[in-house]
Amino acid sequence: MARRPGTIITCAITGAIHTPTMSAALPFRPEDIAAQAIAAAEAGAGILHLHARRPEDGAPSIDPEHFAAFLPRIRGAAGAVVNISTGGSLLNSIEERIAPALRFSPEMCSLNMGSINFSFHPLALRHDRWTFDWERDYVANSEGYIFRNTFRDIRAAATALAPHDIRFEHECYDVGHLYNLRFCMDQGLFRAPVFIQFVLGILGGIGADLDNLAFMKRTADKLFGHDYRWSVLAAGGAQMGLAAAAAQMGGHVRVGLEDSLHIGRGRLAASNAEQVARIRRILEDLGHNVAGPEEAREILALKGADRVRF
Ligand code: KMH
Ligand code: ZN
């Protein structure tokens, strides 16, 4: 019997939502980002979605030098596909946000497919004392944050990155973003098969429930036919359940401390690898094969690890 195609686990190691006070497990020093990324790959993550942070206080950073401090270590040890975020943190221009991807030319980078409110300000109420000065205001001020990804921004990113033959993780936070992606494909900005990350449960985007996942999938089927691959990330407590549902529906999955700090109700995860190991066990219990990095490269038609610049 032919082997069932594998399910790709992406692990998003640190992101730009959570802050050091919220969990001691959230890595922000380059050696910790590298160690957790390598452990996540060893636990079964075929793709590592990476943001950088300032090593001295954990603030989100898009400085290419901060990426340079961990990318070579990860490449040397892990073998997993490296996906560099272009999401940035609050208020960076698109030019700043794509600078790390331009410099390091990874196999993949994220690309956000529309502008939305993107808020996590309710988290500011959960802590009275913060480890670092920047944290409370950063979290509270997300109440006023518009995550800007205009058509012009998307075109600028796609055009600048085109010579690098990078595949995108097209992050779609609502159904309209799927239409934005279709429009951009029709304009010739992206070629099939595109890889869509359905992002559920961000305050400002579509909610994290099964109906919405089915709606996103149905809409994507209508717009892209066979020209797309897809994955789900559900923020917060919905992370594992919707990942399992996505796999049952033929999709791939994303976990990681970027989007959920927990491993169970009220229990902080000890590491990214713990979340990867958990979803891996769930997938295997459900009869799925987990795709290794080489299978992930094949499924997503990536250029290969020998063509990156780090
Ligand atoms: N944490 C995700 C909801 C990016 O890196 O480009 C958003 C994200 C954006 O992953
Ligand atoms: Zn990200």
Side-chain angles (χ1 to χ4, degrees), residues 18-28 36 127 130-131 135 257 260-262 267-271:
H18 297 124
T19 72
T21 297
M22 297 174 190
S23 170
L26 185 75
F28 60 89
Q36 286 217 30
H127 301 273
W130 298 81
T131 311
E135 295 182 69
L257 300 183
S260 169
L261 293 173
H262 292 87
R267 271 188 51 222
L268 289 172
S271 66

Side-chain angles (χ1 to χ4, degrees), residues 80-274:
V81 174
V82 166
N83 171 344
I84 292 182
S85 170
T86 67
S89 67
L90 310 189
L91 302 178
N92 300 120
S93 70
I94 193 68
E95 287 75 20
E96 292 168 322
R97 286 161 47 187
I98 64 173
L102 279 175
R103 171 157 161 196
F104 299 110
S105 196
E107 292 179 84
M108 297 186 76
C109 68
S110 67
L111 195 59
N112 295 274
M113 296 310 299
S115 302
I116 53 168
N117 292 343
F118 189 129
S119 193
F120 36 95
H121 67 276
L123 297 178
L125 301 174
R126 295 203 191 160
H127 301 273
D128 293 326
R129 299 162 68 88
W130 298 81
T131 311
F132 298 106
D133 288 347
W134 63 272
E135 295 182 69
R136 203 203 78 84
D137 284 356
Y138 176 79
V139 175
N141 287 340
S142 67
E143 185 180 14
Y145 179 47
I146 297 172
F147 188 29
R148 180 190 147 143
N149 298 285
T150 63
F151 285 108
R152 185 172 286 171
D153 291 338
I154 293 167
R155 182 160 52 76
T159 308
L161 292 165
H164 292 263
D165 197 14
I166 297 170
R167 282 279 181 188
F168 297 101
E169 176 194 11
H170 293 279
E171 302 211 22
C172 292
Y173 300 74
D174 221 320
V175 180
H177 295 182
L178 299 171
Y179 287 83
N180 295 353
L181 175 56
R182 180 69 258 174
F183 172 81
C184 292
M185 283 180 81
D186 293 342
Q187 299 283 301
L189 291 182
F190 308 114
R191 69 191 154 78
V194 288
F195 180 50
I196 303 177
Q197 191 68 257
F198 298 149
V199 180
L200 277 64
I202 292 294
L203 183 57
I206 200 167
D209 66 46
L210 276 173
D211 272 354
N212 287 339
L213 173 55
F215 184 37
M216 293 287 276
K217 162 81 166 54
R218 226 169 36 241
T219 307
D221 284 344
K222 184 169 70 184
L223 293 175
F224 305 103
H226 295 293
D227 285 348
Y228 85 111
R229 314 283 174 263
W230 65 280
S231 172
V232 166
L233 92 78
Q239 185 186 61
M240 291 290 164
L242 283 185
Q248 294 291 77
M249 293 163 65
H252 304 282
V253 303
R254 174 170 142 178
V255 295
L257 300 183
E258 170 164 341
D259 301 302
S260 169
L261 293 173
H262 292 87
I263 193 69
R265 188 178 286 274
R267 271 188 51 222
L268 289 172
S271 66
N272 281 280
E274 189 183 13

